[in-house]
Amino acid sequence: MSSLKLTAVNKIYPSGVPAITDFNLEVDENEFVVVVGQEKSGKSTLIRLISGLDDTSSGTIQINGKDVTSLEPKARDVSVVFKGDTLFPSDTIFDNLAFGLKVRKAPQTLIEERVRVVSQILGISDLLYKKPKNLIASEKLKVAFGRALVREPQVFMFDEPLSGLDTKLRAEMLNIIINLQMRTKAPYIYATRNLQDALAIATRVVILREGFVQQVDTPANLYDYPANSYVAFYIGQPTINFIFNATLASAEDGKIVVRCDFGDIPVSDKIKARIENLEDYLDKDRKVILGLRPEDTQIVEEGGMFKATAIQNEYAGNAIYTECSAGRNIMKVKFKEVGANWSGDWDEGAPFKDHEIQVNTDTEHLYLFDGETRLTILAKDEGYQKTKHADADRMPKSFVEEREILKQLAPKAKKKK
C-alpha cells in the first residue's frame, strides 16, 4: 500500500524568505490530493520538496513509512510531470518513454513490456517511432504522462501540467489523468492555480497561501465549513460577499442578528447554535466578518431583509447575478436562475443601474469569521462529512500569526555604509 506523509515540513530560502511553513499532510493510495493557491503560494516548492529536487529546512517526508527526507531524487521512487514538460527532441517516443527505466538499468524485456502497456493505455502506440517534433500538443502531453507512468512509481505528482491549454484540451487531459489514477491506485499530488480543475478531480484539496496551509479537506467541506475567510473566498463562484466591521446583537425572543451598516441580518437558530464563544461577541464591540454567498441570496419584489442599489448584471454558472452596493459594501446577489442551456435574453427584467432592489438571504447559510483573526467562529455540525485524516482537524494560523511569522522571517535590509 503506497502512502505519503509530510510532518512539520518547512522550507526557508537562504535569503530568509519562507516558502513552506509547518506543512503536515498524509496521503493514502487511491487518493487524489490537489494543492491550490495563487502565485508564490508554495505549490511548486512543495512538489520539489517531495521529489527531492529541493531540500527541506526542517521536518520529515515519508513514502510508504520510510523516511526519504535526506534521499536523492532518484532514490525516492516518485514521478513528476512539470508545466511544459519537454521531451528529448532527438529521441523517438519509445526512447522518451523508456528513459526512466533505462537510467535505472531495467531489463530490456521489462522496458518493452512497460512501454507497450503504457502506450496502449494512453492511445499512443502508433507514435512510438516518431520524433517529438512530429506530434501535436495533446500527444506530447500524453507522452509526458506516459514517461511518468512507465516507471510505476510510488507517488505521482503534477505541477500545473495543463497550464496554457484551451478548455477542451484541458478537459481531455484531466480525464486521462483521472483514468491513470484509477488504474495505478498510487497517491497523486496535483498542483494547480485552476480551482475548477481542483474541484473536478480532487478527493481532498490543500489550500495554500504564502506557504501557510489554510485548510485540507474535501471540496464539499471546504465550501460549507471554511476554516477562515480566505478559504471561503477561494472556494465558490461567484466569490463570497464579505461584510466587514459587523457585530452580533441581541434581538427579540432570544434571537440574534448580524448588525451591518445597511441593516440587520437575522441569524437562524441553527447558525446561532454553531457560534463558538458567543458571549465574547454578543452585544460587544468585537467585530465579525459576515459572509453571504451570492447563490444564497435572492432579489425579491418586496419585504427584503435589506435594500441595495444595482450597479450591473452578469451571467455566471446557471444564474444571473446583480452587482450592487449596500451601505459601504459591494456585493453580488442572485436575480434569477436560468439553467445551463438557457437561450433567452440573459438580462431580461434584471435591475437597471442605480435601481433600488430588495434582497433576502438564506439565514441557514451564513458564514461568520472573527474580525481580527479571520478564523471561523462557527463550529462544525452534523452536516460535516469527516474524513479519516487528522489534516482536517488542524486549524490554520490566524491572519495575525501569519503576518507576524512573515515579519520575523523577512530578510533584513542591509544598512547603507
Side-chain angles (χ1 to χ4, degrees):
M1 179 177 177
S2 299
S3 64
L4 171 68
K5 183 177 182 180
L6 291 85
T7 306
V9 169
N10 291 274
K11 176 62 179 179
I12 302 175
Y13 291 119
S15 64
V17 175
I20 294 291
T21 303
D22 192 26
F23 189 94
N24 297 273
L25 180 68
E26 293 185 55
V27 187
D28 297 331
E29 69 174 2
N30 289 324
E31 274 209 283
F32 204 129
V33 172
V34 179
V35 183
V36 297
Q38 299 299 326
E39 189 176 355
K40 296 184 179 180
S41 62
K43 303 184 304 298
S44 295
T45 299
L46 182 64
I47 297 294
R48 293 180 66 84
L49 291 176
I50 297 171
S51 64
L53 296 174
D54 279 351
D55 295 328
T56 61
S57 299
S58 61
T60 59
I61 299 174
Q62 293 177 300
I63 295 176
N64 295 341
K66 178 183 177 182
D67 189 340
V68 301
T69 313
S70 59
L71 295 184
E72 294 294 317
K74 64 181 180 181
R76 298 194 181 196
D77 198 14
V78 302
S79 283
V80 188
V81 178
F82 291 102
K83 174 183 176 181
D85 218 341
T86 55
L87 307 177
F88 301 117
S90 60
D91 288 348
T92 64
I93 300 308
F94 180 97
D95 290 332
N96 269 278
L97 291 171
F99 176 77
L101 293 176
K102 288 181 177 179
V103 168
R104 288 162 177 76
K105 302 187 184 304
Q108 184 62 28
T109 53
L110 177 63
I111 292 174
E112 292 178 357
E113 174 63 15
R114 292 266 185 91
V115 170
R116 181 185 65 80
V117 171
V118 168
S119 61
Q120 288 178 346
I121 291 173
L122 293 169
I124 55 175
S125 298
D126 57 338
L127 306 177
L128 291 179
Y129 298 101
K130 291 184 177 182
K131 297 289 182 68
K133 66 179 181 180
N134 297 317
L135 272 56
I136 60 175
S138 60
E139 292 171 338
K140 290 179 181 178
L141 201 49
K142 288 179 182 179
V143 176
F145 293 166
R147 191 164 57 184
L149 183 64
V150 76
R151 285 180 40 221
E152 297 186 356
Q154 297 299 315
V155 179
F156 287 87
M157 292 184 290
F158 300 82
D159 187 10
E160 299 200 67
L162 309 183
S163 179
L165 301 185
D166 62 47
T167 303
K168 182 178 180 181
L169 188 51
R170 286 184 75 90
E172 179 186 346
M173 293 298 107
L174 275 178
N175 283 331
I176 289 174
I177 293 173
I178 293 170
N179 288 331
L180 291 180
Q181 194 267 342
M182 294 175 65
R183 286 173 176 269
T184 55
K185 298 183 179 180
Y188 271 53
I189 309 293
Y190 186 100
T192 181
R193 277 182 287 182
N194 190 303
L195 181 61
Q196 298 309 311
D197 287 358
L199 299 181
I201 63 180
T203 53
R204 287 188 296 152
V205 177
V206 179
I207 299 181
L208 280 177
R209 180 178 63 178
E210 297 182 276
F212 292 96
V213 175
Q214 304 300 303
Q215 193 169 349
V216 182
D217 219 322
T218 64
N221 285 341
L222 292 173
Y223 179 90
D224 290 324
Y225 301 90
N228 59 24
S229 58
Y230 183 80
V231 175
F233 177 80
Y234 203 89
I235 301 293
Q237 187 62 33
T239 53
I240 194 170
N241 301 305
F242 284 133
I243 292 86
F244 296 92
N245 297 317
T247 56
L248 295 179
S250 299
E252 297 178 354
D253 301 325
K255 303 290 186 180
I256 65 174
V257 297
V258 184
R259 187 143 290 160
C260 309
D261 64 349
F262 53 80
D264 292 345
I265 302 295
V267 175
S268 70
D269 291 339
K270 176 182 176 181
I271 296 296
K272 179 182 177 182
R274 292 179 57 200
I275 300 176
E276 298 184 300
N277 303 318
L278 177 59
E279 64 279 1
D280 293 340
Y281 296 90
L282 189 60
D283 299 320
K284 305 265 176 64
D285 194 34
R286 188 169 176 179
K287 302 299 183 183
V288 298
I289 301 171
L290 170 64
L292 300 175
R293 293 203 181 275
E295 56 268 36
D296 293 330
T297 63
Q298 182 67 58
I299 295 177
V300 293
E301 292 186 4
E302 58 183 17
M305 293 178 187
F306 63 91
K307 295 179 180 179
T309 302
I311 299 174
Q312 62 182 7
N313 304 300
E314 68 176 44
Y315 176 77
N318 298 330
I320 298 166
Y321 293 91
T322 298
E323 185 178 272
C324 60
S325 62
R328 295 187 297 271
N329 310 278
I330 301 297
M331 62 179 71
K332 289 180 182 177
V333 297
K334 186 167 62 178
F335 167 58
K336 66 178 178 181
E337 294 184 4
V338 293
N341 299 315
W342 190 61
S343 58
D345 293 330
W346 69 267
D347 61 348
E348 182 181 356
F352 293 106
K353 186 179 185 323
D354 297 328
H355 180 73
E356 184 179 87
I357 58 175
Q358 297 194 50
V359 182
N360 274 341
T361 189
D362 184 351
T363 60
E364 296 282 298
H365 293 92
L366 304 181
Y367 298 81
L368 291 168
F369 308 94
D370 182 88
E372 181 179 7
T373 68
R374 305 189 187 181
L375 298 175
T376 182
I377 64 172
L378 298 180
K380 298 166 183 172
D381 61 10
E382 67 281 355
Y384 180 77
Q385 300 295 314
K386 187 168 180 1
T387 68
K388 67 177 183 178
H389 300 280
D391 312 299
D393 297 324
R394 291 179 178 270
M395 281 299 291
K397 298 184 186 304
S398 72
F399 180 78
V400 176
E401 290 173 321
E402 286 184 5
R403 297 309 99 184
E404 184 59 31
I405 291 173
L406 291 175
K407 180 180 177 181
Q408 291 176 359
L409 293 174
K412 301 299 186 291
K414 293 182 179 180
K415 293 182 179 181
K416 294 182 179 180
K417 294 183 179 180

Short mmCIF file of all heavy atoms in Angstrom, two decimals, residues 78-133:
data_model
loop_
_atom_site.label_atom_id
_atom_site.label_comp_id
_atom_site.label_asym_id
_atom_site.label_seq_id
_atom_site.Cartn_x
_atom_site.Cartn_y
_atom_site.Cartn_z
N VAL A 78 9.56 8.47 -7.05
CA VAL A 78 8.42 9.31 -7.37
C VAL A 78 8.58 9.81 -8.80
O VAL A 78 9.68 9.83 -9.35
CB VAL A 78 8.30 10.51 -6.40
CG1 VAL A 78 8.17 10.04 -4.97
CG2 VAL A 78 9.48 11.47 -6.57
N SER A 79 7.46 10.21 -9.40
CA SER A 79 7.48 10.78 -10.74
C SER A 79 6.79 12.13 -10.71
O SER A 79 5.79 12.31 -10.01
CB SER A 79 6.78 9.88 -11.75
OG SER A 79 7.61 8.80 -12.10
N VAL A 80 7.32 13.07 -11.50
CA VAL A 80 6.74 14.40 -11.59
C VAL A 80 6.56 14.79 -13.05
O VAL A 80 7.47 14.61 -13.86
CB VAL A 80 7.64 15.46 -10.90
CG1 VAL A 80 6.90 16.80 -10.85
CG2 VAL A 80 8.04 15.02 -9.51
N VAL A 81 5.39 15.32 -13.37
CA VAL A 81 5.15 15.93 -14.68
C VAL A 81 5.04 17.43 -14.44
O VAL A 81 4.15 17.89 -13.71
CB VAL A 81 3.86 15.41 -15.33
CG1 VAL A 81 3.62 16.12 -16.66
CG2 VAL A 81 3.94 13.91 -15.54
N PHE A 82 5.97 18.19 -15.01
CA PHE A 82 6.00 19.63 -14.80
C PHE A 82 5.26 20.36 -15.90
O PHE A 82 4.97 19.81 -16.97
CB PHE A 82 7.45 20.13 -14.76
CG PHE A 82 8.21 19.68 -13.54
CD1 PHE A 82 9.12 18.63 -13.61
CD2 PHE A 82 8.03 20.31 -12.32
CE1 PHE A 82 9.82 18.22 -12.50
CE2 PHE A 82 8.73 19.91 -11.19
CZ PHE A 82 9.64 18.86 -11.28
N LYS A 83 4.97 21.62 -15.63
CA LYS A 83 4.39 22.51 -16.63
C LYS A 83 5.34 22.58 -17.83
O LYS A 83 6.54 22.79 -17.66
CB LYS A 83 4.19 23.90 -16.04
CG LYS A 83 3.73 24.94 -17.02
CD LYS A 83 3.64 26.30 -16.34
CE LYS A 83 3.28 27.39 -17.33
NZ LYS A 83 3.20 28.72 -16.67
N GLY A 84 4.79 22.38 -19.03
CA GLY A 84 5.61 22.44 -20.23
C GLY A 84 6.69 21.39 -20.26
O GLY A 84 7.79 21.62 -20.79
N ASP A 85 6.41 20.22 -19.67
CA ASP A 85 7.41 19.16 -19.61
C ASP A 85 7.92 18.84 -21.02
O ASP A 85 7.15 18.50 -21.91
CB ASP A 85 6.79 17.90 -18.99
CG ASP A 85 7.77 17.18 -18.09
OD1 ASP A 85 8.97 17.40 -18.23
OD2 ASP A 85 7.31 16.37 -17.25
N THR A 86 9.21 18.97 -21.21
CA THR A 86 9.78 18.80 -22.55
C THR A 86 10.27 17.38 -22.76
O THR A 86 10.73 16.71 -21.82
CB THR A 86 10.95 19.76 -22.77
OG1 THR A 86 11.92 19.59 -21.73
CG2 THR A 86 10.45 21.20 -22.75
N LEU A 87 10.19 16.93 -23.99
CA LEU A 87 10.68 15.61 -24.37
C LEU A 87 12.06 15.76 -25.00
O LEU A 87 12.46 16.85 -25.42
CB LEU A 87 9.71 14.97 -25.37
CG LEU A 87 8.24 14.90 -24.93
CD1 LEU A 87 7.39 14.30 -26.04
CD2 LEU A 87 8.09 14.10 -23.64
N PHE A 88 12.79 14.68 -25.04
CA PHE A 88 14.10 14.70 -25.70
C PHE A 88 13.88 14.73 -27.21
O PHE A 88 13.39 13.75 -27.79
CB PHE A 88 14.91 13.47 -25.30
CG PHE A 88 15.14 13.37 -23.81
CD1 PHE A 88 14.62 12.30 -23.08
CD2 PHE A 88 15.87 14.33 -23.15
CE1 PHE A 88 14.83 12.22 -21.72
CE2 PHE A 88 16.10 14.25 -21.78
CZ PHE A 88 15.57 13.19 -21.06
N PRO A 89 14.20 15.84 -27.86
CA PRO A 89 13.81 16.02 -29.27
C PRO A 89 14.47 15.05 -30.23
O PRO A 89 13.89 14.71 -31.27
CB PRO A 89 14.25 17.46 -29.57
CG PRO A 89 15.31 17.76 -28.56
CD PRO A 89 14.92 17.01 -27.33
N SER A 90 15.68 14.57 -29.91
CA SER A 90 16.38 13.68 -30.85
C SER A 90 16.02 12.21 -30.65
O SER A 90 16.40 11.36 -31.45
CB SER A 90 17.90 13.86 -30.70
OG SER A 90 18.31 13.54 -29.38
N ASP A 91 15.28 11.90 -29.58
CA ASP A 91 14.89 10.52 -29.29
C ASP A 91 13.49 10.22 -29.83
O ASP A 91 12.66 11.12 -29.96
CB ASP A 91 14.89 10.25 -27.79
CG ASP A 91 16.29 10.20 -27.21
OD1 ASP A 91 17.26 10.15 -28.00
OD2 ASP A 91 16.42 10.22 -25.97
N THR A 92 13.24 8.96 -30.12
CA THR A 92 11.90 8.54 -30.51
C THR A 92 10.99 8.58 -29.28
O THR A 92 11.46 8.69 -28.14
CB THR A 92 11.90 7.12 -31.07
OG1 THR A 92 12.28 6.21 -30.03
CG2 THR A 92 12.83 6.99 -32.25
N ILE A 93 9.70 8.48 -29.51
CA ILE A 93 8.75 8.45 -28.40
C ILE A 93 9.01 7.21 -27.54
O ILE A 93 8.91 7.28 -26.31
CB ILE A 93 7.30 8.46 -28.93
CG1 ILE A 93 7.06 9.74 -29.74
CG2 ILE A 93 6.30 8.35 -27.79
CD1 ILE A 93 7.43 11.02 -29.04
N PHE A 94 9.36 6.10 -28.17
CA PHE A 94 9.69 4.89 -27.41
C PHE A 94 10.82 5.19 -26.44
O PHE A 94 10.75 4.87 -25.24
CB PHE A 94 10.09 3.74 -28.34
CG PHE A 94 10.43 2.47 -27.62
CD1 PHE A 94 9.48 1.47 -27.47
CD2 PHE A 94 11.70 2.26 -27.07
CE1 PHE A 94 9.80 0.28 -26.80
CE2 PHE A 94 12.01 1.10 -26.40
CZ PHE A 94 11.06 0.11 -26.26
N ASP A 95 11.88 5.82 -26.93
CA ASP A 95 13.04 6.10 -26.07
C ASP A 95 12.70 7.13 -25.00
O ASP A 95 13.23 7.07 -23.88
CB ASP A 95 14.21 6.58 -26.92
CG ASP A 95 14.80 5.46 -27.77
OD1 ASP A 95 14.70 4.30 -27.35
OD2 ASP A 95 15.36 5.76 -28.84
N ASN A 96 11.84 8.08 -25.32
CA ASN A 96 11.41 9.04 -24.30
C ASN A 96 10.65 8.34 -23.18
O ASN A 96 10.88 8.62 -22.00
CB ASN A 96 10.51 10.12 -24.94
CG ASN A 96 11.29 11.33 -25.42
OD1 ASN A 96 11.61 12.22 -24.64
ND2 ASN A 96 11.60 11.35 -26.72
N LEU A 97 9.77 7.43 -23.57
CA LEU A 97 9.01 6.69 -22.56
C LEU A 97 9.91 5.79 -21.73
O LEU A 97 9.72 5.62 -20.53
CB LEU A 97 7.92 5.85 -23.23
CG LEU A 97 6.74 6.61 -23.87
CD1 LEU A 97 5.87 5.66 -24.68
CD2 LEU A 97 5.91 7.32 -22.80
N ALA A 98 10.89 5.21 -22.36
CA ALA A 98 11.75 4.24 -21.70
C ALA A 98 12.88 4.86 -20.89
O ALA A 98 13.57 4.15 -20.14
CB ALA A 98 12.35 3.29 -22.75
N PHE A 99 13.05 6.17 -20.98
CA PHE A 99 14.22 6.82 -20.40
C PHE A 99 14.41 6.50 -18.92
O PHE A 99 15.51 6.12 -18.48
CB PHE A 99 14.12 8.33 -20.59
CG PHE A 99 15.24 9.09 -19.95
CD1 PHE A 99 16.50 9.14 -20.53
CD2 PHE A 99 15.05 9.75 -18.73
CE1 PHE A 99 17.54 9.82 -19.92
CE2 PHE A 99 16.09 10.43 -18.12
CZ PHE A 99 17.34 10.47 -18.72
N GLY A 100 13.35 6.65 -18.11
CA GLY A 100 13.47 6.42 -16.67
C GLY A 100 13.89 5.01 -16.32
O GLY A 100 14.65 4.78 -15.38
N LEU A 101 13.40 4.04 -17.09
CA LEU A 101 13.75 2.65 -16.84
C LEU A 101 15.18 2.36 -17.27
O LEU A 101 15.91 1.59 -16.62
CB LEU A 101 12.78 1.72 -17.57
CG LEU A 101 11.33 1.74 -17.05
CD1 LEU A 101 10.45 0.85 -17.93
CD2 LEU A 101 11.27 1.25 -15.60
N LYS A 102 15.59 2.98 -18.38
CA LYS A 102 16.97 2.76 -18.85
C LYS A 102 17.98 3.31 -17.85
O LYS A 102 19.01 2.69 -17.59
CB LYS A 102 17.16 3.41 -20.21
CG LYS A 102 16.44 2.69 -21.35
CD LYS A 102 16.69 3.37 -22.69
CE LYS A 102 16.03 2.60 -23.83
NZ LYS A 102 16.25 3.26 -25.15
N VAL A 103 17.67 4.48 -17.29
CA VAL A 103 18.56 5.08 -16.28
C VAL A 103 18.72 4.15 -15.09
O VAL A 103 19.80 4.04 -14.50
CB VAL A 103 18.01 6.45 -15.84
CG1 VAL A 103 18.75 6.96 -14.60
CG2 VAL A 103 18.14 7.46 -16.97
N ARG A 104 17.64 3.43 -14.76
CA ARG A 104 17.68 2.50 -13.63
C ARG A 104 18.14 1.10 -14.04
O ARG A 104 18.03 0.15 -13.28
CB ARG A 104 16.30 2.45 -12.97
CG ARG A 104 15.99 3.73 -12.20
CD ARG A 104 14.53 3.90 -11.90
NE ARG A 104 14.29 5.11 -11.11
CZ ARG A 104 14.30 6.34 -11.59
NH1 ARG A 104 14.50 6.52 -12.88
NH2 ARG A 104 14.10 7.38 -10.82
N LYS A 105 18.62 1.01 -15.30
CA LYS A 105 19.19 -0.23 -15.83
C LYS A 105 18.21 -1.42 -15.74
O LYS A 105 18.58 -2.54 -15.37
CB LYS A 105 20.49 -0.59 -15.10
CG LYS A 105 21.54 0.52 -15.20
CD LYS A 105 22.86 0.08 -14.61
CE LYS A 105 23.88 1.22 -14.63
NZ LYS A 105 24.12 1.77 -15.97
N ALA A 106 16.95 -1.13 -16.07
CA ALA A 106 15.95 -2.19 -16.09
C ALA A 106 16.19 -3.11 -17.29
O ALA A 106 16.74 -2.69 -18.32
CB ALA A 106 14.55 -1.58 -16.21
N PRO A 107 15.83 -4.40 -17.19
CA PRO A 107 16.00 -5.34 -18.30
C PRO A 107 15.22 -4.86 -19.54
O PRO A 107 14.15 -4.28 -19.42
CB PRO A 107 15.42 -6.65 -17.76
CG PRO A 107 15.46 -6.51 -16.27
CD PRO A 107 15.25 -5.06 -15.99
N GLN A 108 15.74 -5.15 -20.72
CA GLN A 108 15.12 -4.70 -21.95
C GLN A 108 13.72 -5.27 -22.11
O GLN A 108 12.81 -4.58 -22.60
CB GLN A 108 15.98 -5.10 -23.16
CG GLN A 108 15.48 -4.59 -24.50
CD GLN A 108 15.44 -3.06 -24.57
OE1 GLN A 108 16.22 -2.40 -23.90
NE2 GLN A 108 14.53 -2.53 -25.38
N THR A 109 13.53 -6.51 -21.69
CA THR A 109 12.20 -7.11 -21.82
C THR A 109 11.18 -6.36 -20.97
O THR A 109 10.03 -6.18 -21.39
CB THR A 109 12.23 -8.59 -21.40
OG1 THR A 109 12.82 -8.70 -20.08
CG2 THR A 109 13.04 -9.42 -22.37
N LEU A 110 11.61 -5.94 -19.76
CA LEU A 110 10.71 -5.17 -18.88
C LEU A 110 10.41 -3.82 -19.50
O LEU A 110 9.26 -3.36 -19.49
CB LEU A 110 11.34 -5.00 -17.50
CG LEU A 110 10.52 -4.14 -16.51
CD1 LEU A 110 9.18 -4.80 -16.22
CD2 LEU A 110 11.31 -3.93 -15.22
N ILE A 111 11.42 -3.18 -20.06
CA ILE A 111 11.24 -1.87 -20.70
C ILE A 111 10.22 -1.98 -21.83
O ILE A 111 9.28 -1.18 -21.91
CB ILE A 111 12.58 -1.34 -21.23
CG1 ILE A 111 13.52 -1.01 -20.06
CG2 ILE A 111 12.36 -0.11 -22.12
CD1 ILE A 111 14.91 -0.61 -20.50
N GLU A 112 10.39 -2.96 -22.68
CA GLU A 112 9.48 -3.12 -23.83
C GLU A 112 8.06 -3.40 -23.38
O GLU A 112 7.10 -2.87 -23.95
CB GLU A 112 10.00 -4.23 -24.73
CG GLU A 112 11.31 -3.87 -25.43
CD GLU A 112 11.84 -4.99 -26.29
OE1 GLU A 112 11.21 -6.09 -26.31
OE2 GLU A 112 12.87 -4.81 -26.98
N GLU A 113 7.92 -4.22 -22.34
CA GLU A 113 6.59 -4.56 -21.85
C GLU A 113 5.90 -3.34 -21.24
O GLU A 113 4.73 -3.06 -21.52
CB GLU A 113 6.68 -5.67 -20.80
CG GLU A 113 5.36 -6.03 -20.11
CD GLU A 113 4.31 -6.58 -21.06
OE1 GLU A 113 4.66 -6.97 -22.20
OE2 GLU A 113 3.13 -6.62 -20.67
N ARG A 114 6.63 -2.59 -20.40
CA ARG A 114 6.05 -1.40 -19.77
C ARG A 114 5.68 -0.35 -20.81
O ARG A 114 4.60 0.26 -20.74
CB ARG A 114 7.05 -0.81 -18.76
CG ARG A 114 7.31 -1.67 -17.53
CD ARG A 114 6.41 -1.26 -16.37
NE ARG A 114 6.77 -2.01 -15.17
CZ ARG A 114 7.66 -1.61 -14.27
NH1 ARG A 114 8.30 -0.47 -14.45
NH2 ARG A 114 7.91 -2.34 -13.21
N VAL A 115 6.54 -0.10 -21.75
CA VAL A 115 6.26 0.89 -22.80
C VAL A 115 5.04 0.46 -23.61
O VAL A 115 4.18 1.28 -23.95
CB VAL A 115 7.48 1.09 -23.71
CG1 VAL A 115 7.10 1.93 -24.94
CG2 VAL A 115 8.60 1.78 -22.94
N ARG A 116 4.95 -0.81 -23.93
CA ARG A 116 3.82 -1.31 -24.71
C ARG A 116 2.51 -1.10 -23.96
O ARG A 116 1.52 -0.59 -24.51
CB ARG A 116 4.00 -2.80 -25.00
CG ARG A 116 2.87 -3.42 -25.84
CD ARG A 116 3.04 -4.91 -25.99
NE ARG A 116 2.93 -5.61 -24.71
CZ ARG A 116 1.76 -5.91 -24.13
NH1 ARG A 116 0.61 -5.56 -24.72
NH2 ARG A 116 1.74 -6.55 -22.99
N VAL A 117 2.48 -1.46 -22.67
CA VAL A 117 1.25 -1.33 -21.87
C VAL A 117 0.85 0.13 -21.72
O VAL A 117 -0.32 0.49 -21.93
CB VAL A 117 1.45 -1.98 -20.48
CG1 VAL A 117 0.25 -1.67 -19.57
CG2 VAL A 117 1.60 -3.49 -20.62
N VAL A 118 1.82 0.98 -21.37
CA VAL A 118 1.51 2.39 -21.14
C VAL A 118 1.07 3.07 -22.43
O VAL A 118 0.13 3.88 -22.43
CB VAL A 118 2.74 3.11 -20.55
CG1 VAL A 118 2.55 4.63 -20.59
CG2 VAL A 118 2.98 2.65 -19.12
N SER A 119 1.70 2.76 -23.55
CA SER A 119 1.31 3.38 -24.82
C SER A 119 -0.10 2.95 -25.22
O SER A 119 -0.84 3.74 -25.82
CB SER A 119 2.32 3.01 -25.92
OG SER A 119 2.38 1.62 -26.13
N GLN A 120 -0.48 1.72 -24.89
CA GLN A 120 -1.85 1.28 -25.17
C GLN A 120 -2.85 2.02 -24.29
O GLN A 120 -3.92 2.44 -24.76
CB GLN A 120 -1.97 -0.23 -24.94
CG GLN A 120 -1.27 -1.07 -26.00
CD GLN A 120 -1.36 -2.56 -25.72
OE1 GLN A 120 -1.71 -2.98 -24.61
NE2 GLN A 120 -1.03 -3.37 -26.71
N ILE A 121 -2.52 2.18 -23.01
CA ILE A 121 -3.41 2.89 -22.09
C ILE A 121 -3.65 4.32 -22.56
O ILE A 121 -4.78 4.83 -22.53
CB ILE A 121 -2.81 2.91 -20.66
CG1 ILE A 121 -2.82 1.50 -20.06
CG2 ILE A 121 -3.57 3.88 -19.75
CD1 ILE A 121 -2.09 1.39 -18.74
N LEU A 122 -2.60 4.98 -23.04
CA LEU A 122 -2.69 6.38 -23.46
C LEU A 122 -3.08 6.56 -24.92
O LEU A 122 -3.30 7.68 -25.38
CB LEU A 122 -1.35 7.07 -23.20
CG LEU A 122 -0.96 7.23 -21.73
CD1 LEU A 122 0.48 7.69 -21.61
CD2 LEU A 122 -1.89 8.22 -21.04
N GLY A 123 -3.18 5.46 -25.64
CA GLY A 123 -3.58 5.54 -27.05
C GLY A 123 -2.52 6.16 -27.94
O GLY A 123 -2.83 6.89 -28.89
N ILE A 124 -1.25 5.87 -27.64
CA ILE A 124 -0.16 6.45 -28.44
C ILE A 124 0.74 5.36 -29.04
O ILE A 124 1.89 5.62 -29.39
CB ILE A 124 0.70 7.42 -27.59
CG1 ILE A 124 1.23 6.72 -26.32
CG2 ILE A 124 -0.09 8.67 -27.23
CD1 ILE A 124 2.19 7.58 -25.51
N SER A 125 0.21 4.16 -29.18
CA SER A 125 1.02 3.05 -29.71
C SER A 125 1.55 3.32 -31.11
O SER A 125 2.65 2.88 -31.48
CB SER A 125 0.20 1.75 -29.71
OG SER A 125 -0.19 1.39 -28.40
N ASP A 126 0.77 4.08 -31.89
CA ASP A 126 1.18 4.35 -33.27
C ASP A 126 2.20 5.49 -33.37
O ASP A 126 2.65 5.85 -34.46
CB ASP A 126 -0.03 4.69 -34.13
CG ASP A 126 -0.83 5.86 -33.60
OD1 ASP A 126 -0.71 6.15 -32.38
OD2 ASP A 126 -1.56 6.51 -34.38
N LEU A 127 2.58 6.04 -32.21
CA LEU A 127 3.52 7.16 -32.22
C LEU A 127 4.92 6.76 -31.76
O LEU A 127 5.83 7.60 -31.75
CB LEU A 127 3.02 8.29 -31.29
CG LEU A 127 1.61 8.83 -31.52
CD1 LEU A 127 1.27 9.87 -30.47
CD2 LEU A 127 1.48 9.42 -32.93
N LEU A 128 5.12 5.51 -31.39
CA LEU A 128 6.34 5.11 -30.69
C LEU A 128 7.62 5.39 -31.46
O LEU A 128 8.67 5.63 -30.84
CB LEU A 128 6.27 3.62 -30.33
CG LEU A 128 5.23 3.25 -29.25
CD1 LEU A 128 5.24 1.76 -28.98
CD2 LEU A 128 5.50 4.03 -27.97
N TYR A 129 7.57 5.39 -32.76
CA TYR A 129 8.82 5.56 -33.52
C TYR A 129 8.85 6.89 -34.27
O TYR A 129 9.63 7.07 -35.20
CB TYR A 129 9.04 4.35 -34.43
CG TYR A 129 9.18 3.10 -33.59
CD1 TYR A 129 8.11 2.22 -33.45
CD2 TYR A 129 10.34 2.86 -32.87
CE1 TYR A 129 8.22 1.11 -32.62
CE2 TYR A 129 10.45 1.76 -32.03
CZ TYR A 129 9.39 0.89 -31.91
OH TYR A 129 9.49 -0.19 -31.07
N LYS A 130 8.02 7.79 -33.80
CA LYS A 130 8.07 9.17 -34.30
C LYS A 130 8.94 10.00 -33.38
O LYS A 130 9.25 9.62 -32.25
CB LYS A 130 6.67 9.77 -34.38
CG LYS A 130 5.79 9.16 -35.46
CD LYS A 130 4.44 9.89 -35.55
CE LYS A 130 3.58 9.32 -36.66
NZ LYS A 130 2.29 10.05 -36.78
N LYS A 131 9.32 11.19 -33.84
CA LYS A 131 10.07 12.14 -33.02
C LYS A 131 9.09 13.18 -32.47
O LYS A 131 8.03 13.44 -33.06
CB LYS A 131 11.15 12.84 -33.86
CG LYS A 131 12.23 11.91 -34.41
CD LYS A 131 13.14 11.43 -33.29
CE LYS A 131 14.27 10.55 -33.80
NZ LYS A 131 15.26 11.29 -34.63
N PRO A 132 9.41 13.78 -31.33
CA PRO A 132 8.50 14.76 -30.71
C PRO A 132 8.07 15.88 -31.64
O PRO A 132 6.95 16.39 -31.53
CB PRO A 132 9.33 15.29 -29.54
CG PRO A 132 10.22 14.14 -29.16
CD PRO A 132 10.57 13.48 -30.47
N LYS A 133 8.93 16.31 -32.57
CA LYS A 133 8.59 17.42 -33.45
C LYS A 133 7.41 17.09 -34.36
O LYS A 133 6.77 18.00 -34.91
CB LYS A 133 9.80 17.82 -34.29
CG LYS A 133 10.25 16.77 -35.29
CD LYS A 133 11.45 17.25 -36.11
CE LYS A 133 11.88 16.20 -37.13
NZ LYS A 133 13.06 16.66 -37.92
#
